[in-house]
Amino acid sequence: MGLFHYNIEKYSPKQLVIIPLVLLAISLVVLAYVTLTAGMPVRPGIDFSGGTAISVITPDTTDQIQATFTGYPLVSISQGLNNGKFITFGPMSDTQYQSLTALVESKYPDAQINQIGESFGKTLQDQAFIALIIAFIGMAIVVFVSFRTFIPSVAVVLSAFADMVMTAAMMNVLGIQLTLGTVAALLMLIGYSVDSDILLTTRVLKRQGKLNDKLAGAFHTGIIMTSTTIAAVTVLLIVSWAGQVEVVEEISAVLLMGLFFDILNTWLTNVGILKWYVQKGGGK
């Protein structure tokens, strides 16, 4: 099989799924903890929590900017090209916001100030959550209609669910906030997650031959597809990091994490369930 060799004949289904299931359990604990402390499974960015964003071109250092805005709920300072700075603040009272605006206009006359109200952020938060739920349910329906067998369909949905949960947990660990951009990345990840799972399940259920041969063939095709996508996303991450395009950098980072978790869940979790299913007499 060229550079890739895949042979899980000596491993039982239980041995295949144990590591991914442990990681899934740890990830669920992380999300539960963040939900209790932050109110959401992933810590929200300004898009969902509300706040003020200021875009300014200035040679001031991060320490100087922090000193300038002492007394205000400063959240982050991002570096951009040509001395560009993107400064975000958490929610504040109207009086404090007016004071901040006056300070910015006096010190940085050319700055752009954008405010997202807390109630509007909550609305965006609800809409993003609904979009993720609808996308996931739609994916599950398509999978069940396509295969019309319960266990293999559950394996595909479980693998996609694990990809999402593990990626969200890693976002918390790495400090990547939930924004409109990262929500878009999670939506894209749903599609990427089921791609290799559907390939695997189709090969196992609808082709004749030995189980291990079908698994090896599916792995060879699937890993090439995933590796190609990982290479493209890695290039995007490097370019966006070098160009300091934070939104694209976060999107590519989330996708990259999700793709690596997808390899784990497809070729261990899903394969383990399918192997158990076939050994019990399911499929051809």
Side-chain angles (χ1 to χ4, degrees), residues 104-141:
V104 172
E105 290 177 347
S106 64
K107 187 170 181 62
Y108 307 112
D110 298 327
Q112 294 182 347
I113 303 175
N114 297 303
Q115 184 184 33
I116 296 179
E118 192 169 357
S119 59
F120 182 67
K122 176 63 176 175
T123 301
L124 286 179
Q125 181 184 132
D126 293 340
Q127 291 176 345
F129 181 74
I130 291 172
L132 285 169
I133 294 298
I134 291 176
F136 193 85
I137 291 175
M139 175 273 297
I141 291 174

Side-chain angles (χ1 to χ4, degrees), residues 141-167:
I141 291 174
V142 171
V143 169
F144 275 91
V145 170
S146 299
F147 294 113
R148 299 182 184 181
T149 48
F150 183 73
I151 297 300
S153 299
V154 168
V156 174
V157 174
L158 176 62
S159 296
F161 173 75
D163 289 346
M164 299 284 288
V165 169
M166 292 178 185
T167 302

Side-chain angles (χ1 to χ4, degrees), residues 12 17 39 46 76 89 95 97 162 181 199-200 224 241 252 261 273:
S12 68
V17 302
I46 188 174
S76 65
F89 298 86
T95 302
Y97 173 72
L199 167 70
L200 166 65
I224 290 176
W241 173 78
S252 53
F261 284 128
I273 296 173

Side-chain angles (χ1 to χ4, degrees), residues 61-133:
T61 65
T62 299
D63 291 337
Q64 289 174 324
I65 294 174
Q66 289 176 339
T68 299
F69 295 109
T70 299
Y72 297 95
L74 180 64
V75 175
S76 65
I77 302 173
S78 301
Q79 302 283 340
L81 296 174
N82 300 322
N83 287 326
K85 304 292 192 304
F86 187 73
I87 311 167
T88 58
F89 298 86
M92 62 186 82
S93 64
D94 290 339
T95 302
Q96 196 173 24
Y97 173 72
Q98 293 172 1
S99 173
L100 174 66
T101 302
L103 175 60
V104 172
E105 290 177 347
S106 64
K107 187 170 181 62
Y108 307 112
D110 298 327
Q112 294 182 347
I113 303 175
N114 297 303
Q115 184 184 33
I116 296 179
E118 192 169 357
S119 59
F120 182 67
K122 176 63 176 175
T123 301
L124 286 179
Q125 181 184 132
D126 293 340
Q127 291 176 345
F129 181 74
I130 291 172
L132 285 169
I133 294 298

Side-chain angles (χ1 to χ4, degrees), residues 212-258:
N212 291 315
D213 292 339
K214 291 188 288 185
L215 290 175
F219 175 81
H220 180 67
T221 303
I223 201 66
I224 290 176
M225 294 166 49
T226 304
S227 299
T228 303
T229 307
I230 288 175
V233 175
T234 301
V235 171
L236 181 63
L237 176 63
I238 294 172
V239 171
S240 59
W241 173 78
Q244 298 180 333
V245 185
E246 186 174 3
V247 174
V248 179
E249 182 183 348
E250 290 182 347
I251 290 174
S252 53
V254 171
L255 284 175
L256 196 59
M257 290 186 296

